[in-house]
Amino acid sequence: MLGARINIENLQASYGSVQVLHGINLDIAAGEFVALLGSSGCGKTTLLRSVSGLFMPSGGKIFLDGTDITTRPPEKRNMAMVFQSYALWPHMTVRQNIGYGLKLRGKSAKDVNQKVDELAAMLGLTEFVDRKTPQLSGGQRQRVALGRALAIDPPVLLLDEPLSNLDARIRLSMRHEIRMLQQRLGITAIHVTHDREEAMVMADRIVILDKGHVAQVGAPEEVYERPANSFVAAFMGAENQFRTRGGANGEAVTLQSDAEECRLPKSKELGDGGVHWNASGNADVSIRFRSEEATLVPQNEQTDGFYRINGTIRQASYPGGVRRYAVQTGEDMLIVDELKTFSEGDQVSICLKPNAIHVFEEE
Amino acid sequence: MTFGNANEMKLRNTHIVTTWVSNFVRYGILALLAFAIFGPIANMLLWAVAEVWYYPHKLPLEYGFSFWERVFREEGNATESLMTSVAIAVLTVIVSLIVAIPAGYSLARGRLPWRYLLLLIFLLPQAFPAVAVHMNIARIFYGFGLTGTIPGVVLVHALQGLVFAVWIATAAFSAVDPELEIAARSMGASKMRAFVDVTLPLALPGVLASAIFVFLISLDEFTGTFFVGAPDVVTVPMLLFTSSMEGNYQIASISSLILLVPSILFMFIIERFLKADVLSKVGA
């Protein structure tokens, strides 16, 4: 069973007078794993439910392998959905839950049982098939929900935050299990999540949604290293932000740093180690960087090839592995993770390698 | 252990005394409650087996079952009216469920505008004096030729049963997570199929409870039956009324006892089927 291709054109959706999707365009290839990533209220679940047919969009079109399915009822779309709440039927056994879709499709009891046994074995549920679902643990329920969805050999699997109710440990292993299953079966998957790392490790491509707009679509490395705008950069962990003056011409970037100007290489493609420049001309710009991609040195120590800003350590904490410092630079408070030990009040420089720097238009 | 033994004893004694007092109060309250509930029933039981009992005697002068024989005799009408009562109750349940299941489901899913207004409309007949309502119903039913017929009585009973049936069914359907139904739809079930396979079985305990409730209301109903059914349709409460009017407390008590049987059965069934989460949503 191969996956199906999905094309979403200018999709709009609203709850009453509140518009939650403002013209979404998205093309998903057959067999691709796409993560819809965004904070709560960004419209990612609405987008998924529109694809599944459980929510009627107010405009735009959805195509499945080229056929317009925008108004087709959910039961005729052949997409299986896995819910955050698992939505298992408590009055049925695991076997009945998993076999339900097949029963609906008129399969004989023998075929249903065979398929259920197969899936139960694959998901490690064999010993639980005759239990009612309320007797299962969270991880087991999640597997049943997955088994129920996979039983009908769906060309498209829709995952609505399926891992967010699980324990952290089980969540990590389920990510890989789901990804491996999807790759093995070759089905198309759309996964809704607010967990960046989950989206990064599971998906072929990530769609970042911001207030009902697509903020960026791209492979995990792309959205991580070349965030299209300040919002995406922040969502991808570059929470530190400060303003300065800067300009770019051809190969190089000039950024104002405390007293002097700093010339750094400009990035042209992924992984060339240059500054990610995403502003227009010479002007006030906004710089974003990740706490773990910066280092701290005492102000009097010399460095080479770094962009430096001076500051004072206001707070030191230990989250484990590294030390975390809150550094005051001018009016900004920046967070830096560093192995070396400093104390509160120390005068330090935050050092950024060119590829740690993301420059955006001043907001 | 050796030190403080006296203290410990003293503590234990006070503890025993306070426990004793609190137990006394607790059992006292229980006894009062039991008297309030079982006192009238005891009186009824006594009347049911009394052959001769008159003022100023505190207890019957003679006991026996001759009135039971009279009640269950062919001419006593008890068996026949019990049959009529049960038949009417069963039909009332069917009529009520036919309305209450779709109504309760729609109200629970909140797809109907003015849902509270609708729930209030079902309550409306209860807000007016039953006699006035039933008299007018009888007048209207007369026009349709429904007076003195079983369908007429069933409709009158259903009118009263529906309040409870719709409210309880609404609560039962509200207790079912809509996502469970959505999951069935996404697996390929039509709306109807999802309802039959998922929502209805999960709401069934509540729906059953409402059915039993309606059954009991119908068994017990008097004024509606009196205005619409009399004299052709004779249910047990009608029989009870007639015998009470004649001053025959024995027959009245025996009829009441017959009516008590389904009520007690109801208690057991409701206790087994009705989940707390359903009850808590009644009227929500």
Side-chain angles (χ1 to χ4, degrees):
Chain A
M1 184 83 218
L2 275 179
R5 174 165 48 90
I6 297 171
N7 304 88
I8 297 168
E9 276 177 17
N10 192 28
L11 196 75
Q12 294 167 39
S14 40
Y15 288 100
S17 59
V18 184
Q19 195 165 4
V20 286
L21 293 179
H22 304 265
I24 303 282
N25 290 295
L26 186 63
D27 296 313
I28 300 170
E32 194 179 18
F33 195 119
V34 167
L36 305 180
L37 180 62
S39 40
S40 48
C42 70
K44 54 191 192 299
T45 295
T46 307
L47 179 53
L48 189 80
R49 298 211 162 197
S50 303
V51 172
S52 74
L54 297 172
F55 186 85
M56 195 47 68
S58 51
K61 286 199 177 334
I62 302 167
F63 297 92
L64 182 72
D65 271 341
T67 320
D68 184 353
I69 57 158
T70 319
T71 55
R72 202 187 273 185
E75 65 267 22
K76 297 216 165 69
R77 295 193 183 200
N78 227 5
M79 297 179 182
M81 183 132 159
V82 179
F83 296 82
Q84 180 175 4
S85 63
Y86 316 137
L88 298 177
W89 303 304
H91 60 301
M92 297 187 194
T93 60
V94 169
R95 180 178 292 285
Q96 288 167 324
N97 265 282
I98 297 179
Y100 184 72
L102 295 170
K103 202 179 104 190
L104 284 179
R105 281 158 182 76
K107 296 279 190 303
S108 71
K110 196 173 136 256
D111 289 350
V112 174
N113 279 333
Q114 194 188 338
K115 180 83 185 179
V116 172
D117 288 333
E118 216 174 276
L119 279 162
M122 186 166 86
L123 295 162
L125 289 168
T126 307
E127 54 186 305
F128 308 111
V129 285
D130 294 317
R131 288 213 199 152
K132 290 260 172 90
T133 56
Q135 295 165 278
L136 303 177
S137 72
Q140 289 160 352
R141 285 185 206 190
Q142 182 55 71
R143 287 197 173 82
V144 176
L146 201 58
R148 179 176 70 182
L150 293 175
I152 57 169
D153 285 325
V156 179
L157 181 64
L158 305 173
L159 303 154
D160 186 5
E161 305 214 27
L163 303 179
S164 49
N165 283 349
L166 289 176
D167 292 343
R169 221 158 34 90
I170 304 168
R171 188 157 61 218
L172 292 189
S173 62
M174 281 304 284
R175 284 177 184 171
H176 298 280
E177 271 181 50
I178 293 178
R179 174 63 166 152
M180 270 160 60
L181 270 174
Q182 180 265 338
Q183 282 177 320
R184 199 167 101 200
L185 302 171
I187 56 182
T188 309
I190 307 180
H191 180 109
V192 160
T193 182
H194 58 262
D195 183 327
R196 164 167 57 104
E197 199 183 295
E198 189 175 299
M200 299 284 285
V201 299
M202 291 177 83
D204 294 309
R205 271 196 310 155
I206 296 178
V207 178
I208 294 159
L209 292 169
D210 177 23
K211 298 186 197 96
H213 298 273
V214 173
Q216 192 175 3
V217 185
E221 312 87 73
E222 229 172 296
V223 288
Y224 191 81
E225 294 188 20
R226 312 282 291 235
N229 54 46
S230 196
F231 171 83
V232 177
F235 206 85
M236 285 290 135
E239 302 269 11
N240 286 310
Q241 183 184 25
F242 62 91
R243 287 167 176 74
T244 188
R245 287 189 64 80
N249 47 32
E251 314 272 294
V253 172
T254 323
L255 290 173
Q256 183 76 34
S257 136
D258 294 318
E260 78 244 8
E261 285 214 324
C262 185
R263 261 178 84 82
L264 296 162
K266 182 176 158 189
S267 171
K268 288 214 173 53
E269 56 194 56
L270 265 181
D272 62 4
V275 171
H276 173 221
W277 179 269
N278 205 336
S280 47
N282 299 330
D284 287 334
V285 292
S286 159
I287 292 184
R288 280 188 171 275
F289 70 94
R290 297 185 177 86
S291 311
E292 66 271 21
E293 288 180 343
T295 49
L296 289 180
V297 295
Q299 268 179 23
N300 50 15
E301 199 175 298
Q302 289 300 308
T303 52
D304 194 26
F306 286 100
Y307 172 75
R308 287 176 64 144
I309 6 158
N310 295 332
T312 314
I313 292 186
R314 290 288 176 223
Q315 196 195 36
S317 59
Y318 183 71
V322 292
R323 289 172 194 282
R324 183 161 295 164
Y325 300 102
V327 183
Q328 173 121 43
T329 61
E331 68 231 40
D332 300 307
M333 189 69 86
L334 304 173
I335 307 292
V336 177
D337 287 351
E338 167 64 61
L339 282 166
K340 291 190 291 266
T341 309
F342 294 94
S343 357
E344 285 170 22
D346 283 0
Q347 299 291 309
V348 292
S349 291
I350 299 173
C351 302
L352 297 169
K353 277 189 295 183
N355 66 353
I357 302 171
H358 304 278
V359 186
F360 299 101
E361 208 82 51
E362 164 91 274
E363 289 151 36
Chain B
M1 270 313 270
T2 40
F3 295 107
N5 229 355
N7 261 339
E8 218 168 79
M9 285 288 276
K10 212 167 143 194
L11 262 176
R12 195 177 300 160
N13 280 341
T14 24
H15 180 67
I16 288 169
V17 170
T18 45
T19 324
W20 193 85
V21 168
S22 80
N23 276 349
F24 184 79
V25 171
R26 195 179 307 154
Y27 291 128
I29 290 170
L30 274 180
L32 269 174
L33 257 177
F35 182 73
I37 295 167
F38 295 109
I41 295 180
N43 182 49
M44 196 171 79
L45 280 171
L46 275 179
W47 267 116
V49 292
E51 296 278 296
V52 185
W53 188 3
Y54 48 81
Y55 188 78
H57 298 282
K58 293 276 187 289
L59 286 171
L61 299 169
E62 274 173 55
Y63 298 92
F65 286 95
S66 67
F67 282 98
W68 285 79
E69 212 182 304
R70 257 174 70 185
V71 168
F72 283 101
R73 227 170 24 206
E74 206 79 15
E75 316 85 90
N77 286 335
T79 328
E80 203 197 318
S81 52
L82 186 64
M83 287 307 187
T84 313
S85 273
V86 170
I88 289 173
V90 168
L91 289 170
T92 306
V93 165
I94 293 171
V95 170
S96 299
L97 286 189
I98 287 173
V99 177
I101 290 177
Y105 178 71
S106 319
L107 286 167
R109 288 292 180 260
R111 285 182 199 131
L112 293 177
W114 310 103
R115 55 192 295 253
Y116 288 103
L117 196 71
L118 275 166
L119 278 171
L120 268 180
I121 286 173
F122 281 111
L123 251 182
L124 216 55
Q126 313 286 311
F128 295 99
V131 176
V133 172
H134 288 133
M135 219 181 71
N136 285 298
I137 289 176
R139 181 72 195 82
I140 295 163
F141 276 14
Y142 187 75
F144 293 109
L146 282 167
T147 37
T149 65
I150 292 210
V153 176
V154 166
L155 282 177
V156 166
H157 287 193
L159 186 73
Q160 295 179 51
L162 268 177
V163 189
F164 301 99
V166 171
W167 279 59
I168 298 174
T170 304
F173 284 116
S174 304
V176 180
D177 183 358
E179 199 143 272
L180 295 179
E181 203 177 307
I182 290 176
R185 303 271 329 263
S186 104
M187 292 316 298
S190 63
K191 261 186 179 158
M192 194 61 201
R193 188 73 199 257
F195 177 79
V196 170
D197 284 350
V198 174
T199 317
L200 191 59
L202 288 172
L204 202 60
V207 172
L208 267 183
S210 78
I212 297 164
F213 223 81
V214 170
F215 186 82
L216 286 179
I217 287 171
S218 166
L219 269 190
D220 209 34
E221 215 283 336
F222 176 74
T223 47
T225 322
F226 180 77
F227 281 109
V228 175
D232 305 303
V233 181
V234 181
T235 59
V236 177
M238 298 280 285
L239 198 68
L240 189 74
F241 178 71
T242 323
S243 43
S244 299
M245 285 286 100
E246 289 163 358
N248 194 333
Y249 291 120
Q250 283 91 339
I251 288 180
S253 300
I254 293 165
S255 315
S256 314
L257 276 178
I258 296 172
L259 276 178
L260 203 64
V261 175
S263 310
I264 289 168
L265 280 177
F266 165 71
M267 304 263 201
F268 282 113
I269 295 171
I270 204 168
E271 207 244 348
R272 286 213 49 187
F273 282 107
L274 206 54
K275 287 186 262 163
D277 61 331
V278 175
L279 272 178
S280 69
K281 286 205 172 68
V282 170

